[in-house]
Amino acid sequence: MLSAGLLLASASSERAAQASPSPEAPRQATGGLQNEVFRNGEAGFVVTEIAYALGPDGKDGACPAGMSAGVRGLIEALAKTPAGQRGADENQQSYERRMNMAVQTKSDGQNICLNPQGASADPGWRMVSGKVKVDGFDLDAREPGASRSRRVDTCSHEEFQGTQGERGVDNQWYRVVGCTTGFQSSGQANSWQTEMYTGSWGILMTLKGVDDLRNDPEVQIGFYANADPLELSAARAALPYATYAATQDERYRATTRGRIVDGVLMIDPVDLRFHNIVNSMTDDRILRAARARFRFTPDGGITGLLAGYTPVENMYDLQYGARHSRNAKGELAPERLRLGTSVGRAAVLGHTCNGAYQALYQAADGDRDPKTGRCTSISTQYKIRFAPAFVVDARTQSVNAPLALK
């Protein structure tokens, strides 16, 4: 059986041939384990699940000061002032519209979500505090056996304890969002992988030089944006052993080295960039000095944590402001769409844009600016699952691509 390795192809006919593995081919032994995923130490994988790695909900002790009040809290506060009283000539709809606009507009008339700099503080914003256990691992520690490292100049911050007893867990993103309703276990903010299942974006990974799935001092890892939509079953579950092309755009390709220690795959720090698409608008999901804790699963997949530092300005755009979101042509999306998306997020997910922007910089713990001493990125951890896949390094284009450019 052909493995799910990184296959080299230059034409669609070659790609189709390689996507049809022969059932007569013998399984390849890797480190004493018979594993049909690997052939000659190589394998490919596609992400089937990804979400932020967070801690307990606010009601479970993460938010002793209570939950963030959000836009509704600002409106309620404004309603207690003379300026917030309903006018005699206002109906309920126009009154609510005026109040929403008032709390989301700066004194200079700019919308706060699209222009959060210099906005007033949100007195109702709350952040995670206290001794809570979170998913994640220590991003500050240098790993033994790493062939290279990237030093991240950090700011002082309170670290978490991991759910498995780990010390020094860096997950400041959870500290920022753990007390907003959208990021609770029943919230909607951590479900952005929905767009992955509609075929808008995807992530691929390849492994090379794997001799032993238990302990191997050196392996090569590749991360790529997926140039093809995710292949789904009739039940809309991701199919294993599907064939995907890795993007040819160098911005969304990265390689690094790593090692397997006691069955855990770890990688040397590498800068990653993936697509993020919401409301037909594209942003880049950035992870600097990314590291991983991956384990091989009995079904041939991989599961674990991928973590690193996300630039604050980038994270704000991804989750809140949509300030630089692009359309299918790569141009800045219409302001009305960006504004509606950002204001809608605030209303539905229980945050304020000014509160989020200020909290991100307050909690930022990576990439310290040597001139200002201010950190400009925030530790971010993802829970991720991969299925085995055939990854082809070939140029490809969706049959729908010409339509998107019209």
Side-chain angles (χ1 to χ4, degrees):
M1 178 180 290
L2 285 178
S3 76
L6 180 64
L7 307 177
L8 298 178
S10 59
S12 59
S13 59
E14 292 176 328
R15 181 181 173 192
Q18 290 170 318
S20 303
S22 169
E24 278 69 37
R27 293 181 176 181
Q28 175 72 23
T30 305
L33 297 177
Q34 295 293 332
N35 193 323
E36 63 184 9
V37 175
F38 286 85
R39 184 177 179 84
N40 298 324
E42 299 186 10
F45 302 88
V46 61
V47 169
T48 59
E49 296 177 25
I50 184 169
Y52 292 119
L54 303 175
D57 285 349
K59 64 180 177 57
D60 297 323
C63 305
M67 302 294 291
S68 292
V71 171
R72 177 55 53 187
L74 293 182
I75 291 176
E76 291 174 353
L78 178 60
K80 298 177 182 178
T81 68
Q85 300 304 303
R86 178 175 168 178
D89 58 343
E90 284 185 304
N91 59 34
Q92 186 63 27
Q93 184 178 15
S94 60
Y95 173 64
E96 290 179 357
R97 186 183 302 115
R98 176 172 67 84
M99 294 290 279
N100 267 290
M101 184 176 293
V103 300
Q104 298 194 72
T105 303
K106 296 166 61 175
S107 58
D108 59 4
Q110 293 182 321
N111 175 264
I112 290 176
C113 289
L114 295 186
N115 303 275
Q117 303 90 335
S120 59
D122 174 8
W125 189 272
R126 300 290 182 267
M127 296 172 70
V128 171
S129 61
K131 303 295 182 181
V132 295
K133 295 183 178 181
V134 305
D135 290 326
F137 57 91
D138 188 353
L139 289 173
D140 301 331
R142 177 182 171 86
E143 294 176 344
S147 59
R148 72 184 187 200
S149 63
R150 176 195 155 180
R151 176 174 173 78
V152 176
D153 196 3
T154 61
C155 295
S156 177
H157 61 282
E158 183 180 359
E159 297 176 320
F160 291 103
Q161 182 179 2
T163 53
Q164 305 302 314
E166 307 94 333
R167 294 179 179 273
V169 173
D170 300 298
N171 194 340
Q172 290 294 91
W173 170 241
Y174 166 61
R175 192 176 298 283
V176 169
V177 302
C179 297
T180 54
T181 56
F183 282 94
Q184 303 306 290
S185 57
S186 58
Q188 302 179 52
N190 205 12
S191 59
W192 39 266
Q193 76 169 21
T194 301
E195 296 285 351
M196 181 178 74
Y197 273 77
T198 66
S200 295
W201 59 273
I203 302 171
L204 303 172
M205 182 177 72
T206 60
L207 299 180
K208 291 183 178 182
V210 179
D211 300 313
D212 191 323
L213 291 179
R214 187 64 187 171
N215 288 285
D216 193 324
E218 184 172 335
V219 298
Q220 292 83 48
I221 303 99
F223 291 96
Y224 311 91
N226 193 351
D228 294 310
L230 194 64
E231 295 287 341
L232 304 177
S233 69
R236 299 197 61 76
L239 290 171
Y241 301 105
T243 301
Y244 300 103
T247 183
Q248 299 300 297
D249 189 333
E250 291 297 330
R251 294 173 298 173
Y252 304 97
R253 297 169 61 98
T255 57
T256 186
R257 295 182 181 274
R259 70 217 66 84
I260 303 172
V261 180
D262 293 333
V264 178
L265 172 64
M266 296 177 280
I267 66 173
D268 294 350
V270 61
D271 291 345
L272 302 178
R273 182 184 294 263
F274 303 117
H275 296 104
N276 186 82
I277 300 177
V278 175
N279 288 347
S280 300
M281 298 189 299
T282 300
D283 288 282
D284 287 345
R285 187 174 292 276
I286 300 171
L287 203 60
R288 291 178 176 164
R291 291 157 64 173
R293 295 288 187 278
F294 293 156
R295 289 187 178 275
F296 302 97
T297 57
D299 62 0
I302 289 176
T303 187
L305 295 166
L306 178 68
Y309 294 90
T310 305
V312 165
E313 297 292 333
N314 172 249
M315 183 62 90
Y316 177 80
D317 284 348
L318 280 174
Q319 292 296 153
Y320 304 105
R323 295 172 300 174
H324 305 103
S325 299
R326 308 181 301 275
N327 61 20
K329 297 180 181 180
E331 303 166 341
L332 187 66
E335 182 176 350
R336 182 176 180 179
L337 179 58
R338 291 182 289 116
L339 177 61
T341 297
S342 60
V343 171
R345 285 171 176 168
V348 173
L349 302 179
H351 63 259
T352 60
C353 289
N354 49 322
Y357 189 77
Q358 292 157 10
L360 282 167
Y361 272 110
Q362 180 182 337
D365 56 334
D367 293 307
R368 183 200 298 267
D369 186 317
K371 295 182 179 179
T372 66
R374 187 188 201 187
C375 272
T376 59
S377 66
I378 189 165
S379 51
T380 313
Q381 310 228 11
Y382 294 94
K383 295 186 294 185
I384 194 166
R385 181 178 293 274
F386 299 84
F390 295 91
V391 179
V392 183
D393 200 4
R395 184 173 296 279
T396 186
Q397 176 174 288
S398 167
V399 294
N400 293 325
L403 299 177
L405 296 177
K406 288 185 178 180

